[in-house]
């Protein structure tokens, strides 16, 4: 795969991943209007499953770059997760902030493991 074609794929799939993140986050957030960032949690957990699945498939380096880095990398969001956790702390919602960290890490690891498990079975 040529370098220009690979970069074009990264740009296009990165854009698709970002749009998918926006759509999923907004859809979940519309259903859960409390102050907890459920949209970001769902995005990051589903992204962990996807990335684990792709890792389990043992893709070639170009396919892994396109699917994992471009799409899933732009779909998931560490920075938003941290900003929302910090916002919860600023609002003195300590337990939701701690819960966001603990739940995201614990379920994220489980989701990634599940994705790898699925990927190795195909």
């Amino acid at each position: 795969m040529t370098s220009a074609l690979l970069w074009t794929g990264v740009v296009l799939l990165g854009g698709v991943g970002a749009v998918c993140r926006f759509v999923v986050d907004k859809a979940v957030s519309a259903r859960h209007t409390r102050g907890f960032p459920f949209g970001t949690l769902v995005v990051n957990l589903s992204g962990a499953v996807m990335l684990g699945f792709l890792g389990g498939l043992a893709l070639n380096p170009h396919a892994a770059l396109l699917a994992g880095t471009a799409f899933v990398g732009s779909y998931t969001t560490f920075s938003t997760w941290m900003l929302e956790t910090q916002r919860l702390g600023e609002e003195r919602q300590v337990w939701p902030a701690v819960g966001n960290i603990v739940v995201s890490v614990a379920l994220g690891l489980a989701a990634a493991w599940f994705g790898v498990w699925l990927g190795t079975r195909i």
Side-chain angles (χ1 to χ4, degrees):
M1 181 177 281
T2 66
S3 181
L5 184 59
L6 185 61
W7 277 102
T8 301
V10 168
V11 168
L12 292 175
L13 285 174
V16 170
V19 169
C20 288
R21 174 178 71 211
F22 177 78
V23 169
V24 171
D25 181 39
K26 293 302 171 197
V28 172
S29 296
R31 288 173 178 77
H32 300 282
T33 56
R34 292 181 225 127
F36 191 84
F38 287 106
T40 300
L41 180 64
V42 168
V43 164
N44 286 340
L45 293 179
S46 60
V49 171
M50 283 188 270
L51 197 54
F53 179 76
L54 294 169
L57 292 177
L59 301 172
N60 73 55
H62 289 151
L65 174 70
L66 289 172
T69 303
F71 179 79
V72 179
S74 66
Y75 174 72
T76 58
T77 175
F78 179 81
S79 57
T80 301
W81 173 51
M82 288 291 96
L83 181 64
E84 290 171 341
T85 302
Q86 188 266 342
R87 178 191 50 81
L88 289 169
E90 277 187 352
E91 294 173 356
R92 299 181 191 261
Q93 297 183 48
V94 175
W95 288 116
V98 170
N100 193 30
I101 293 168
V102 171
V103 167
S104 293
V105 171
L107 291 182
L109 289 170
W113 174 85
F114 179 67
V116 170
W117 180 82
L118 281 177
T120 58
R121 303 253 168 328
I122 291 184

